[in-house]
Amino acid sequence: MPMSEQDGAGVSRRSVLLSAGAAAGMLGLGGHSALQSLTRDETDAAVEGLFDETQVLNTACAPNCRGKCPLNVHVRDGQIKFVEPQMTDDERYRRGCLLGQSHVQRVYSPKRLKYPMVRADWEPDAPNPGGRGEDAQFEQVSWDEALQYVADEMRRVRSEYGPESVFFHTGSGDNGMGTTIFGRLASMFGGTQQSWSIDSNVGVGFNRITGHGFFLPPTNESADWVNANTIIVWGSDLFKSQFQNDASKVLDAIESGAKLVVVDPVYTTTASKADLWLPIEPGKDTHLALAMIHDVLAEGTYDDAFLRERTTAGALVRGDTDEMLRMRDLEGDADDDRVVGIHAETGEPVPLEPDTYAAVELFGEYEVDGIQATTGLSLLEEHVADYSPETVASVADLDPADIKTAARWLATRGPGGIAPSYALGRYKYGHVFGQTYAILLALTGDYGKSGTIHAQHPSGTTLNSGEYGSPDGAPGTQSLSMHEVPAALEDGEPFPIKAIYGMESNMLANQFPNRQRWHDLLENVDMFAMADFHRTPTVQHADIILPAAHWFEREDITDAWGSHPHISHRTKAHEPLWDARDDYHIIAELADKLGYDDLFLDDKRAELRKIASNDDRFDFDELRRKGNVRVEDEAAGIKYTDPFPTDTGRIELYDEDHPVEDDGTVLDLPRPIEDRTAADHDLADEYPLLFMQKHSKWRIHSQWADNAMIRKFNAEPTLDIHPSDAQDRGIDDGDYVRVYNDRGEVVVRASYNEGMRPGLINIDQGWWTDDYVHGSHQDLTHMEVNDLAPTFAFYDVRADVEPAPKDIDTSKYTAPESADWLEGYPNGGDN
Amino acid sequence: MRNSVLEGDDRGRLAGGYSVLARCWRQPTADLLAAVSDGTFERIEPEVAETSVEDLRVEYARLFVGPAEPVCPPYESLYRDGDDAVLGPSTRAVVTWYRSYGLGLEPEWPDLPDHIATELEFAAYLLEREDPETCERFLDEHPRLWIEEFLDDVERETREPYYRALATMTAAAIDG
């Protein structure tokens, strides 16, 4: 650095400093008080600790890939430097993936939320909801100010509209105790919480047959999957999206000789590992399962002992009422509602008890006491006559021999099963598939044994928090399903929602279907607060932004929805950066401001200990010390060993409740129903392509979307399209294209992908709105749901594609100055 | 000892200059805006204060805080360490400087140690409590290695003349 005493710069420098220094007195910056952010005192400043400690700490990843992988965090000189899988209590479950490794980039990202903020044009008396959105601007405020706004608005809304008009919104973004703790406050306040209209489709259909399932039904813990001899992965790319235990356990089974069948319209990574790939036409899954039932019955490969012991296959269904014949219908006890079969030797009617072998006829039509009746299995056989492998093969564009091979492997190779994904439930009537495969697995006897499989992920272990969520004196919460929230926002039905506090979720402005409609709906809300640790599009849409701590910056307990039967502990690696706070402390201070001073303890660890004390299966201090403990509960081990929780205690092949869907279809037996996938759908001519949004390996839902390291490999959203579909439309690999339908449009780069079935296009799910040059994939989706298992049908979408308009600004990815972060990483057609 | 422009009887007032600049790079307050509009800062045209504290705070948030990725993140590590991550090696080095002179981070200050405001504040401290030479050495080892680039970004990106003027003034104040 040159000496500058004599030159002009030096003069300038002196005069600047002298001029600024003149203001020091006025700003109270004389002498000692000149120190503002530094101090001469002994300091325990949080940020300083970052430069000292060196240790290895336990924590857990939990972004709802369902992995819930316990991790070790290596803290050197106070900073997180390295992340690795932690040894699990049950050593068969030690896993982790590269997303878990990249938490280091998340913690130290300059994109994190740093301070509480309030939208500049929001005020309690003038919320100005039209000011929300991508152009909204914010001011930094203190925690006290931010939370006072939230508390005051919650109180005002409660007194003007009622407590249920305050929506305590959560998603699946953080499986610590956050939802549990938040639920306690919601219950005390009397607010509304949401129940799910996502992923609750296939399981509901399965439940009609077995009494099990809402999300995907229970399945054996994954360490048992190695004993499966046939695994049919149906609509899941778990070798990309479930790198945690689920993928590894399927690989274990393959190594042990299992046959892997993959049913998927896309040639996925998982399909590439399969012994047999069924490249099914989208929406024809129920057809295929019916064809497999047809084949099992036609070939006689069904498990007759299982059918007699654990199902209603032999139970008679009355011809006059279409209900199962009961003992009370015969001479006898009027209260005896046991169902009836025909004994194979005596020909007499006999009652069927739960889980009790009954030597009954499986097929046939009989007259009992003057009542004409047919066995459930005969009704099924008659029903599937229309779904031979040959017939279905032509409908679903498959080879009939492949259908028969899949059915034969499942039925004859010993224990095995079907691992469906949530993708099937993203078609409007996915629950019918749930009904169908539950029946198929009953025919093959694949329940309640080592090696049987019913879902692509096990249930994990849920901490029992007892009455924690319902403290004394709490009025409790109201519940709205996600698909019911729009009516509450727009029409005040069944009650209005006027204030929202959201956490661990990016649903409202990004992940829910028909994004623009949600933006409009939210204009009916006076106060929208979001707690998060980075600025999702939903955070950007909020009025009040509350910066939350990263998982590694908080002590917590992790449970639920896991791929393994453990509960895990999170140790705080260091204080939250900037002014971020553990959600617990945000909620606790909000509770204080709402007048619930005693609802939460000041010490979070003490609160966690209190929550954990409701669960006598593990000890909190042992958990803290070990990092994770295996917990034995109903989620562990082999499933379906007890009588089924149905009226008969058996799997009920014939559904005598005759559920009816919105189009009039009666589902006493599974009947395929299609919405937009149907070739003759009203929109089929105008929008010939089916649009889906699969899970990729680059993010979990919308998490990691802004992770700097991930984005180097997955820089921008792309449209997977078969070259033939692209060439028909004059689109080259790497071109920007407009994907559009009757609801909206999105502009992305086309990526030729010969793995796509022609007619089917894909943009990976989870991209944030900001990452598109125009629109969002959620501008194509809709909120129409079925009657019986209302679930957002994210994949039941039609669209078409054309070259992007010339005036679309793609500079964020194509201009050297704005896309410098790409650092020359090949994009577009090269990726 | 090298000859520094910081030598002289008015060292206290020069140090005050760094203190005031440090304050200016923190969240704007009404008294700060008042000082500018009073013409207290000879080098800042009072007209740049023809704005509101609210507007200035919105701009401050957009440039330096968020909620979106700040346009001009005010941290040394992001300019020098190249990992698109905060708390890098240069942050550590600056903390070592603070500690060498008996200073730690104020617990009430939740921001990072290599924030421009804290580095300027430390320069003020060194000038007042130590000597111009030490202050110059710190300026060489830290602020001068990144603040110019940061200030260029501010001048280019800001929509408020106030920050353009502040950038000019700060550039002059660390000019070596």
Side-chain angles (χ1 to χ4, degrees), chain A residues 395-417:
Chain A
V395 172
D397 194 19
L398 295 169
D399 181 340
D402 289 344
I403 299 175
K404 294 167 83 67
T405 299
R408 187 176 75 249
W409 284 351
L410 180 66
T412 65
R413 284 176 49 84

PDB file of all heavy atoms in Angstrom, chain A residues 395-417:
ATOM      1  N   VAL A 395     -54.645 -51.835 -23.368  1.00  0.00           N
ATOM      2  CA  VAL A 395     -55.057 -50.561 -22.759  1.00  0.00           C
ATOM      3  C   VAL A 395     -53.847 -49.820 -22.193  1.00  0.00           C
ATOM      4  O   VAL A 395     -53.708 -48.602 -22.339  1.00  0.00           O
ATOM      5  CB  VAL A 395     -56.082 -50.815 -21.620  1.00  0.00           C
ATOM      6  CG1 VAL A 395     -56.373 -49.532 -20.860  1.00  0.00           C
ATOM      7  CG2 VAL A 395     -57.361 -51.406 -22.176  1.00  0.00           C
ATOM      8  N   ALA A 396     -52.967 -50.555 -21.561  1.00  0.00           N
ATOM      9  CA  ALA A 396     -51.858 -49.938 -20.827  1.00  0.00           C
ATOM     10  C   ALA A 396     -50.565 -49.939 -21.631  1.00  0.00           C
ATOM     11  O   ALA A 396     -49.522 -49.522 -21.115  1.00  0.00           O
ATOM     12  CB  ALA A 396     -51.646 -50.666 -19.502  1.00  0.00           C
ATOM     13  N   ASP A 397     -50.641 -50.394 -22.875  1.00  0.00           N
ATOM     14  CA  ASP A 397     -49.484 -50.430 -23.764  1.00  0.00           C
ATOM     15  C   ASP A 397     -48.343 -51.254 -23.166  1.00  0.00           C
ATOM     16  O   ASP A 397     -47.207 -50.805 -23.062  1.00  0.00           O
ATOM     17  CB  ASP A 397     -49.013 -49.009 -24.087  1.00  0.00           C
ATOM     18  CG  ASP A 397     -48.040 -48.999 -25.263  1.00  0.00           C
ATOM     19  OD1 ASP A 397     -48.026 -50.000 -26.016  1.00  0.00           O
ATOM     20  OD2 ASP A 397     -47.294 -48.013 -25.406  1.00  0.00           O
ATOM     21  N   LEU A 398     -48.704 -52.468 -22.747  1.00  0.00           N
ATOM     22  CA  LEU A 398     -47.708 -53.378 -22.178  1.00  0.00           C
ATOM     23  C   LEU A 398     -47.710 -54.686 -22.969  1.00  0.00           C
ATOM     24  O   LEU A 398     -48.574 -54.917 -23.826  1.00  0.00           O
ATOM     25  CB  LEU A 398     -48.048 -53.674 -20.709  1.00  0.00           C
ATOM     26  CG  LEU A 398     -47.969 -52.494 -19.756  1.00  0.00           C
ATOM     27  CD1 LEU A 398     -48.592 -52.852 -18.408  1.00  0.00           C
ATOM     28  CD2 LEU A 398     -46.515 -52.044 -19.573  1.00  0.00           C
ATOM     29  N   ASP A 399     -46.756 -55.541 -22.646  1.00  0.00           N
ATOM     30  CA  ASP A 399     -46.703 -56.875 -23.222  1.00  0.00           C
ATOM     31  C   ASP A 399     -47.428 -57.823 -22.257  1.00  0.00           C
ATOM     32  O   ASP A 399     -47.061 -57.895 -21.085  1.00  0.00           O
ATOM     33  CB  ASP A 399     -45.233 -57.284 -23.388  1.00  0.00           C
ATOM     34  CG  ASP A 399     -45.074 -58.666 -24.020  1.00  0.00           C
ATOM     35  OD1 ASP A 399     -46.059 -59.453 -23.986  1.00  0.00           O
ATOM     36  OD2 ASP A 399     -43.976 -58.949 -24.519  1.00  0.00           O
ATOM     37  N   PRO A 400     -48.458 -58.559 -22.748  1.00  0.00           N
ATOM     38  CA  PRO A 400     -49.183 -59.447 -21.816  1.00  0.00           C
ATOM     39  C   PRO A 400     -48.270 -60.451 -21.126  1.00  0.00           C
ATOM     40  O   PRO A 400     -48.511 -60.815 -19.964  1.00  0.00           O
ATOM     41  CB  PRO A 400     -50.221 -60.150 -22.704  1.00  0.00           C
ATOM     42  CG  PRO A 400     -49.879 -59.828 -24.122  1.00  0.00           C
ATOM     43  CD  PRO A 400     -49.031 -58.592 -24.111  1.00  0.00           C
ATOM     44  N   ALA A 401     -47.224 -60.878 -21.796  1.00  0.00           N
ATOM     45  CA  ALA A 401     -46.307 -61.848 -21.175  1.00  0.00           C
ATOM     46  C   ALA A 401     -45.620 -61.234 -19.957  1.00  0.00           C
ATOM     47  O   ALA A 401     -45.374 -61.918 -18.959  1.00  0.00           O
ATOM     48  CB  ALA A 401     -45.265 -62.306 -22.197  1.00  0.00           C
ATOM     49  N   ASP A 402     -45.310 -59.937 -20.031  1.00  0.00           N
ATOM     50  CA  ASP A 402     -44.677 -59.272 -18.886  1.00  0.00           C
ATOM     51  C   ASP A 402     -45.643 -59.199 -17.696  1.00  0.00           C
ATOM     52  O   ASP A 402     -45.232 -59.360 -16.540  1.00  0.00           O
ATOM     53  CB  ASP A 402     -44.245 -57.855 -19.265  1.00  0.00           C
ATOM     54  CG  ASP A 402     -43.057 -57.843 -20.217  1.00  0.00           C
ATOM     55  OD1 ASP A 402     -42.387 -58.895 -20.331  1.00  0.00           O
ATOM     56  OD2 ASP A 402     -42.806 -56.790 -20.833  1.00  0.00           O
ATOM     57  N   ILE A 403     -46.910 -58.937 -18.003  1.00  0.00           N
ATOM     58  CA  ILE A 403     -47.903 -58.883 -16.916  1.00  0.00           C
ATOM     59  C   ILE A 403     -47.978 -60.238 -16.228  1.00  0.00           C
ATOM     60  O   ILE A 403     -47.976 -60.341 -15.001  1.00  0.00           O
ATOM     61  CB  ILE A 403     -49.293 -58.490 -17.473  1.00  0.00           C
ATOM     62  CG1 ILE A 403     -49.226 -57.096 -18.118  1.00  0.00           C
ATOM     63  CG2 ILE A 403     -50.339 -58.528 -16.360  1.00  0.00           C
ATOM     64  CD1 ILE A 403     -50.529 -56.669 -18.806  1.00  0.00           C
ATOM     65  N   LYS A 404     -47.997 -61.264 -17.028  1.00  0.00           N
ATOM     66  CA  LYS A 404     -48.107 -62.618 -16.465  1.00  0.00           C
ATOM     67  C   LYS A 404     -46.842 -62.995 -15.694  1.00  0.00           C
ATOM     68  O   LYS A 404     -46.919 -63.629 -14.637  1.00  0.00           O
ATOM     69  CB  LYS A 404     -48.373 -63.625 -17.588  1.00  0.00           C
ATOM     70  CG  LYS A 404     -49.731 -63.430 -18.249  1.00  0.00           C
ATOM     71  CD  LYS A 404     -49.884 -64.213 -19.557  1.00  0.00           C
ATOM     72  CE  LYS A 404     -50.282 -65.642 -19.331  1.00  0.00           C
ATOM     73  NZ  LYS A 404     -51.646 -65.777 -18.784  1.00  0.00           N
ATOM     74  N   THR A 405     -45.707 -62.563 -16.197  1.00  0.00           N
ATOM     75  CA  THR A 405     -44.457 -62.863 -15.477  1.00  0.00           C
ATOM     76  C   THR A 405     -44.458 -62.198 -14.101  1.00  0.00           C
ATOM     77  O   THR A 405     -44.110 -62.816 -13.085  1.00  0.00           O
ATOM     78  CB  THR A 405     -43.243 -62.358 -16.292  1.00  0.00           C
ATOM     79  OG1 THR A 405     -43.230 -63.034 -17.543  1.00  0.00           O
ATOM     80  CG2 THR A 405     -41.936 -62.626 -15.553  1.00  0.00           C
ATOM     81  N   ALA A 406     -44.864 -60.924 -14.075  1.00  0.00           N
ATOM     82  CA  ALA A 406     -44.877 -60.206 -12.800  1.00  0.00           C
ATOM     83  C   ALA A 406     -45.818 -60.895 -11.820  1.00  0.00           C
ATOM     84  O   ALA A 406     -45.492 -61.080 -10.641  1.00  0.00           O
ATOM     85  CB  ALA A 406     -45.291 -58.749 -13.019  1.00  0.00           C
ATOM     86  N   ALA A 407     -46.992 -61.292 -12.313  1.00  0.00           N
ATOM     87  CA  ALA A 407     -47.971 -61.951 -11.435  1.00  0.00           C
ATOM     88  C   ALA A 407     -47.437 -63.302 -10.957  1.00  0.00           C
ATOM     89  O   ALA A 407     -47.599 -63.663  -9.784  1.00  0.00           O
ATOM     90  CB  ALA A 407     -49.295 -62.129 -12.178  1.00  0.00           C
ATOM     91  N   ARG A 408     -46.781 -64.000 -11.846  1.00  0.00           N
ATOM     92  CA  ARG A 408     -46.265 -65.326 -11.472  1.00  0.00           C
ATOM     93  C   ARG A 408     -45.167 -65.209 -10.424  1.00  0.00           C
ATOM     94  O   ARG A 408     -45.160 -65.942  -9.441  1.00  0.00           O
ATOM     95  CB  ARG A 408     -45.752 -66.065 -12.721  1.00  0.00           C
ATOM     96  CG  ARG A 408     -45.357 -67.509 -12.436  1.00  0.00           C
ATOM     97  CD  ARG A 408     -44.937 -68.258 -13.684  1.00  0.00           C
ATOM     98  NE  ARG A 408     -43.605 -67.872 -14.147  1.00  0.00           N
ATOM     99  CZ  ARG A 408     -43.359 -67.189 -15.260  1.00  0.00           C
ATOM    100  NH1 ARG A 408     -44.367 -66.830 -16.062  1.00  0.00           N
ATOM    101  NH2 ARG A 408     -42.123 -66.866 -15.608  1.00  0.00           N
ATOM    102  N   TRP A 409     -44.249 -64.265 -10.633  1.00  0.00           N
ATOM    103  CA  TRP A 409     -43.183 -64.091  -9.643  1.00  0.00           C
ATOM    104  C   TRP A 409     -43.764 -63.741  -8.276  1.00  0.00           C
ATOM    105  O   TRP A 409     -43.365 -64.287  -7.263  1.00  0.00           O
ATOM    106  CB  TRP A 409     -42.230 -62.956 -10.082  1.00  0.00           C
ATOM    107  CG  TRP A 409     -41.294 -63.368 -11.178  1.00  0.00           C
ATOM    108  CD1 TRP A 409     -41.099 -64.623 -11.662  1.00  0.00           C
ATOM    109  CD2 TRP A 409     -40.416 -62.499 -11.908  1.00  0.00           C
ATOM    110  NE1 TRP A 409     -40.153 -64.600 -12.670  1.00  0.00           N
ATOM    111  CE2 TRP A 409     -39.705 -63.312 -12.832  1.00  0.00           C
ATOM    112  CE3 TRP A 409     -40.145 -61.147 -11.883  1.00  0.00           C
ATOM    113  CZ2 TRP A 409     -38.760 -62.793 -13.706  1.00  0.00           C
ATOM    114  CZ3 TRP A 409     -39.199 -60.620 -12.757  1.00  0.00           C
ATOM    115  CH2 TRP A 409     -38.517 -61.446 -13.666  1.00  0.00           C
ATOM    116  N   LEU A 410     -44.722 -62.826  -8.271  1.00  0.00           N
ATOM    117  CA  LEU A 410     -45.298 -62.409  -6.994  1.00  0.00           C
ATOM    118  C   LEU A 410     -45.995 -63.580  -6.306  1.00  0.00           C
ATOM    119  O   LEU A 410     -45.874 -63.780  -5.098  1.00  0.00           O
ATOM    120  CB  LEU A 410     -46.291 -61.265  -7.223  1.00  0.00           C
ATOM    121  CG  LEU A 410     -46.990 -60.720  -5.966  1.00  0.00           C
ATOM    122  CD1 LEU A 410     -45.969 -60.040  -5.047  1.00  0.00           C
ATOM    123  CD2 LEU A 410     -48.099 -59.735  -6.346  1.00  0.00           C
ATOM    124  N   ALA A 411     -46.709 -64.386  -7.105  1.00  0.00           N
ATOM    125  CA  ALA A 411     -47.548 -65.425  -6.514  1.00  0.00           C
ATOM    126  C   ALA A 411     -46.774 -66.693  -6.168  1.00  0.00           C
ATOM    127  O   ALA A 411     -47.163 -67.417  -5.249  1.00  0.00           O
ATOM    128  CB  ALA A 411     -48.693 -65.765  -7.472  1.00  0.00           C
ATOM    129  N   THR A 412     -45.696 -66.968  -6.884  1.00  0.00           N
ATOM    130  CA  THR A 412     -45.091 -68.301  -6.743  1.00  0.00           C
ATOM    131  C   THR A 412     -43.685 -68.312  -6.161  1.00  0.00           C
ATOM    132  O   THR A 412     -43.161 -69.386  -5.885  1.00  0.00           O
ATOM    133  CB  THR A 412     -45.022 -68.998  -8.119  1.00  0.00           C
ATOM    134  OG1 THR A 412     -44.127 -68.275  -8.962  1.00  0.00           O
ATOM    135  CG2 THR A 412     -46.394 -69.070  -8.767  1.00  0.00           C
ATOM    136  N   ARG A 413     -43.081 -67.156  -5.984  1.00  0.00           N
ATOM    137  CA  ARG A 413     -41.694 -67.174  -5.513  1.00  0.00           C
ATOM    138  C   ARG A 413     -41.578 -67.039  -3.998  1.00  0.00           C
ATOM    139  O   ARG A 413     -40.504 -66.780  -3.471  1.00  0.00           O
ATOM    140  CB  ARG A 413     -40.888 -66.057  -6.192  1.00  0.00           C
ATOM    141  CG  ARG A 413     -40.525 -66.382  -7.653  1.00  0.00           C
ATOM    142  CD  ARG A 413     -39.812 -65.241  -8.320  1.00  0.00           C
ATOM    143  NE  ARG A 413     -38.696 -64.709  -7.542  1.00  0.00           N
ATOM    144  CZ  ARG A 413     -37.467 -65.209  -7.531  1.00  0.00           C
ATOM    145  NH1 ARG A 413     -37.191 -66.271  -8.260  1.00  0.00           N
ATOM    146  NH2 ARG A 413     -36.532 -64.661  -6.787  1.00  0.00           N
ATOM    147  N   GLY A 414     -42.695 -67.209  -3.294  1.00  0.00           N
ATOM    148  CA  GLY A 414     -42.636 -67.053  -1.834  1.00  0.00           C
ATOM    149  C   GLY A 414     -42.945 -65.631  -1.446  1.00  0.00           C
ATOM    150  O   GLY A 414     -43.413 -64.829  -2.253  1.00  0.00           O
ATOM    151  N   PRO A 415     -42.640 -65.285  -0.178  1.00  0.00           N
ATOM    152  CA  PRO A 415     -43.014 -63.961   0.303  1.00  0.00           C
ATOM    153  C   PRO A 415     -42.430 -62.851  -0.559  1.00  0.00           C
ATOM    154  O   PRO A 415     -41.316 -62.953  -1.066  1.00  0.00           O
ATOM    155  CB  PRO A 415     -42.420 -63.913   1.717  1.00  0.00           C
ATOM    156  CG  PRO A 415     -42.275 -65.338   2.117  1.00  0.00           C
ATOM    157  CD  PRO A 415     -41.994 -66.105   0.852  1.00  0.00           C
ATOM    158  N   GLY A 416     -43.209 -61.828  -0.737  1.00  0.00           N
ATOM    159  CA  GLY A 416     -42.797 -60.673  -1.523  1.00  0.00           C
ATOM    160  C   GLY A 416     -43.865 -59.619  -1.381  1.00  0.00           C
ATOM    161  O   GLY A 416     -44.651 -59.651  -0.437  1.00  0.00           O
ATOM    162  N   GLY A 417     -43.888 -58.719  -2.312  1.00  0.00           N
ATOM    163  CA  GLY A 417     -44.949 -57.722  -2.189  1.00  0.00           C
ATOM    164  C   GLY A 417     -44.820 -56.598  -3.180  1.00  0.00           C
ATOM    165  O   GLY A 417     -44.025 -56.647  -4.123  1.00  0.00           O
TER     166      GLY A 417
END
